[in-house]
Each structure stands twice: as structure tokens, then as C-alpha cells.
Amino acid sequence: MAKKAEFLVIDGCVQDGRVVVVKGEPYSPPHKEIEEALLAEGRIAPLKDPRAQELLRQLSNVANEDENSGGE
């Protein structure tokens, strides 16, 4: 079973092997060193971080707008 993501990509994207995780998607770094490097770069943030929460709200609003504008 995959471990639960503890972080959110908040800037750009992260490539993990063949998988590319883009801004706004959950991400679990495979190693502590990678986690620390990505945090230092500002590429990822913990899910409870205010920057991650704001991005999730923005994405939710965009999804709601797309849902409401379809089929008219």
C-alpha cells in the first residue's frame, strides 16, 4: 500500500523516476534528503502549511468554476 502523501507540490513540478508530479498534486519524497532539498527550494510544502492550503483553495475554486460553467 502506498504511503499517504504529506506534502503538496507548490511550485513547478517534481520528477520521481518516470512519474512527474505537478503543482497542486500531493507528493511523498522517497528519501529524507530529497524532502529536505525540495523544502529548501520551495518546491514542496507540508499539507498543513498555509501556502499549500491556499493553493488547495485556489484549485478548488477553479474546479467549482469549471463545473458550474459546463453545459450551458
Side-chain angles (χ1 to χ4, degrees):
M1 182 160 79
K3 92 177 183 181
K4 185 177 177 186
E6 300 173 13
F7 298 92
L8 191 72
V9 176
I10 61 169
D11 183 36
C13 62
V14 176
Q15 184 170 355
D16 191 354
R18 294 182 182 188
V19 176
V20 177
V21 184
V22 298
K23 183 177 180 178
E25 292 184 352
Y27 176 69
S28 292
H31 304 287
K32 188 72 172 171
E33 295 82 16
I34 293 172
E35 174 185 318
E36 291 170 354
L38 292 172
L39 283 167
E41 290 177 14
R43 184 114 18 224
I44 64 173
L47 289 173
K48 294 185 180 194
D49 185 282
R51 296 171 296 172
Q53 293 296 310
E54 178 61 27
L55 180 57
L56 289 172
R57 278 192 292 278
Q58 289 173 3
L59 293 173
S60 176
N61 288 340
V62 169
N64 288 340
E65 288 174 8
D66 288 347
E67 209 173 85
N68 292 335
S69 66
E72 289 182 20

